[in-house]
Amino acid sequence: ITLRRALGSRRMADAPDGVDLDAPVLETIQYVQVEAHGDGWQGRTPDWHEGAMFGGFVLGQAVHAATRTAPEHTRIHSLHAYFLAPVAAGSTVDYRVRSLRDGRRFSSRLLEATQDGRPVNDESLGPRNHHPGRPRDHLRAPGARQLVR
């Protein structure tokens, strides 16, 4: 898949000749994904940066791990993250996800990320049921004029 095809009708800025805009984005997407490993998930970190990875990178992998354990048709509704220690570049991160609740509308997950046996990130995530095609009109907030009548 190319980035241009993934974006559909949206246009990207024209790149200088010989510059491949698709490769870095696709490589990033590959690194954000996690794979089953033992009783949890494991993600790789690129060695692009010397030292520590950015927190958003860890969040992306954590969300991917948590959603792999959530019921079908759910989307992340809430997320609370605690960064406990820097994540070293070029090493793997292990994610353990514990299911606290799977209700009709809401679920709850606790996630612990470790690297080399030490905790680096804790998260509480709340997937919420989402049914594709269901009208969402009842969720829209009223306009300002309707509120001041």
Side-chain angles (χ1 to χ4, degrees), residues 17 55 79 101 134 140:
D17 289 339
L79 175 120
R101 179 179 188 268
R134 178 183 279 182
R140 292 196 180 139

Side-chain angles (χ1 to χ4, degrees), residues 84-106:
L84 306 173
V87 172
S91 185
T92 59
V93 179
D94 294 308
Y95 297 91
R96 301 289 176 258
V97 181
R98 190 173 78 175
S99 174
L100 298 180
R101 179 179 188 268
D102 282 329
R104 288 184 316 158
R105 294 181 57 172
F106 293 94

